[in-house]
Amino acid sequence: MHTLYKIIACCLLPFCLYSQQTAFFETTIYFDLAYVGGVMFRGCSFINEQSDGDYDDQNLNIENWGYGIRANRSGFSVRLACDDIFCNTFEESLFRGLGYGVYAFTGTPGGANEQPYPYEVSKATFENCLVGIRNASVEGSKIIYNTFILGGPTEGMPEFAEVDQVGVFYENDVLGFICEENEFIGTGSEENIFTIGTIVKSTGIENKTIRKSTYQDLAIGNLANGQNAGIPGTPGTSVDRGMYYDCNQHNAVTFSDYMVEDGGSIRLDQSQKVEDLSSPGDFIDLATGNLFSQTGGGVFDFLNEGVFTLRYYYDQSEIRAFPFNRSGVSTSPEEDPSFSCPTEFCEPPKVC
């Protein structure tokens, strides 16, 4: 199958410049990296202008819509590019209409690199991709200050197709990551597209946080399935570890701001944990910094169908901090929350 793709891209390596214009491709992978590090993408655009559109409902394979960057145990960065010699203006990278904007994974070890390199994606826009960024078992990734536009038509997708569009998807024993200061925006232009900001699936029991991001006009803001935390009563695990959501803001979500699916788990205490200075090794639970949609009308602020009831700590002085419509969640008010939502990473191109 030949499919028309448009690439307006520049790949900057230490001593070379790569560019490619509109062309026909048998493969649907723009950049397929394996066992390499240090690859830099600056101000690149990966645009699917697929026009086939002749798939039936048995052939809606996500790969048919291509990959922007596919990285097997490879390190790379997607960052701003200077628009002029003085760097007064900058160009963002763009991923539009793809199956996967970025897909980083740990395949079979080989080559000179037995360990996967981390990667960074910052100040990029992902528009109407089926999955913006998918991370399968890659630790140490950094995803900050990106915009994910979800819910619009994907090029070449049949009108009848009922599909999901997801911003960021972590899966399979991810030991740690940075995911902060991102925007997930639903357009609502296609009724048959179900939009989800982030998914964590079976990422394991280690600490992980998705924080300080905005979710607007989506079906689900944050979805969790599989084990993403220690399970109470399970030998060798700690209920104080696992997936935690903090300092996020939801607006006009139509199904649930947060959802843990049947059999899934996130950290038991959804709270900012700080060490108790009077009792070293112990922690104090402070209120989270999340703000809920509070849409009402059967829309959940926090829907937990997981393996145990969650304990959610909130700031009772902030009305939007309380999950009014909830299930599987107990709440604990904090009169003196003492939490904070500092900016931990400067917005590019600023360096600090």
Side-chain angles (χ1 to χ4, degrees):
M1 179 184 70
H2 284 74
T3 303
L4 178 61
Y5 286 87
K6 180 181 180 183
I7 306 176
I8 310 171
C10 58
C11 175
L12 287 171
L13 293 141
F15 298 101
C16 72
L17 174 66
Y18 175 87
S19 64
Q20 192 160 4
Q21 295 295 326
T22 303
F24 281 94
F25 284 87
E26 291 188 5
T27 178
T28 57
I29 304 171
Y30 294 161
F31 290 94
D32 198 4
L33 311 178
Y35 316 116
V36 298
V39 182
M40 297 181 289
F41 299 91
R42 302 290 183 267
C44 304
S45 293
F46 307 85
I47 302 173
N48 171 13
E49 292 190 336
Q50 185 166 230
S51 57
D52 290 348
D54 57 356
Y55 300 104
D56 58 33
D57 58 1
Q58 302 300 314
N59 193 28
L60 293 175
N61 192 326
I62 191 170
E63 286 82 4
N64 287 336
W65 279 264
Y67 301 76
I69 301 169
R70 190 174 77 165
N72 177 9
R73 294 179 174 265
S74 294
F76 64 92
S77 61
V78 178
R79 296 176 182 167
L80 291 171
C82 291
D83 254 358
D84 58 71
I85 192 171
F86 301 106
C87 286
N88 292 318
T89 58
F90 295 85
E91 182 75 18
E92 293 186 3
S93 290
L94 172 66
F95 299 79
R96 178 186 294 160
L98 298 161
Y100 297 106
V102 171
Y103 183 15
F105 64 105
T106 56
T108 303
N113 179 30
E114 293 295 322
Q115 297 298 322
Y117 284 113
Y119 65 90
E120 176 183 335
V121 181
S122 63
K123 290 297 285 186
T125 296
F126 296 80
E127 183 177 348
N128 300 328
C129 295
L130 297 180
V131 178
I133 301 175
R134 182 177 179 181
N135 181 317
S137 302
V138 178
E139 62 184 89
S141 64
K142 185 177 183 180
I143 300 173
I144 60 172
Y145 288 102
N146 300 290
T147 300
F148 299 85
I149 300 171
L150 307 167
T154 301
E155 291 293 335
M157 184 69 69
E159 291 185 4
F160 62 80
E162 294 186 1
V163 298
D164 295 342
Q165 287 185 3
V166 180
V168 179
F169 183 7
Y170 294 101
E171 61 181 329
N172 300 340
D173 293 323
V174 183
L175 294 182
F177 57 73
I178 296 168
C179 185
E180 302 191 17
E181 306 282 0
N182 298 296
E183 290 185 301
F184 302 87
I185 302 170
T187 64
S189 61
E190 300 291 320
E191 293 183 357
N192 58 329
I193 296 177
F194 194 82
T195 54
I196 305 171
T198 67
I199 298 177
V200 290
K201 179 181 179 181
S202 302
T203 59
I205 64 175
E206 298 303 320
N207 282 333
K208 297 166 287 285
T209 306
I210 293 175
R211 71 179 300 274
K212 216 169 188 312
S213 294
T214 301
Y215 302 82
Q216 177 75 43
D217 294 305
L218 304 173
I220 297 177
N222 298 273
L223 175 65
N225 47 46
Q227 185 175 3
N228 302 284
I231 307 298
T234 302
T237 67
S238 170
V239 297
D240 290 330
R241 302 188 67 80
M243 185 66 226
Y244 166 55
Y245 301 98
D246 191 34
C247 295
N248 299 303
Q249 180 170 326
H250 293 74
N251 301 290
V253 169
T254 61
F255 184 78
S256 188
D257 290 356
Y258 298 94
M259 181 177 179
V260 182
E261 289 193 317
D262 184 25
S265 64
I266 60 176
R267 197 176 75 192
L268 173 64
D269 290 320
Q270 291 293 297
S271 63
Q272 291 194 13
K273 288 185 176 291
V274 297
E275 189 171 4
D276 185 351
L277 298 180
S278 65
S279 180
D282 293 331
F283 292 88
I284 299 172
D285 294 296
L286 302 180
T288 71
N290 297 313
L291 299 179
F292 293 95
S293 292
Q294 298 176 341
T295 306
V299 178
F300 284 94
D301 296 315
F302 211 132
L303 174 58
N304 174 31
E305 299 175 334
V307 295
F308 51 80
T309 299
L310 299 173
R311 296 193 292 247
Y312 188 84
Y313 295 74
Y314 69 95
D315 174 12
Q316 65 179 350
S317 69
E318 169 57 65
I319 186 65
R320 288 191 58 201
F322 184 70
F324 281 104
N325 195 1
R326 64 190 183 276
S327 177
V329 179
S330 66
T331 57
S332 179
E334 295 295 315
E335 294 182 4
D336 181 18
S338 299
F339 71 83
S340 60
C341 290
T343 296
E344 295 184 348
F345 301 94
C346 292
E347 182 173 3
K350 185 178 179 181
V351 177
C352 59

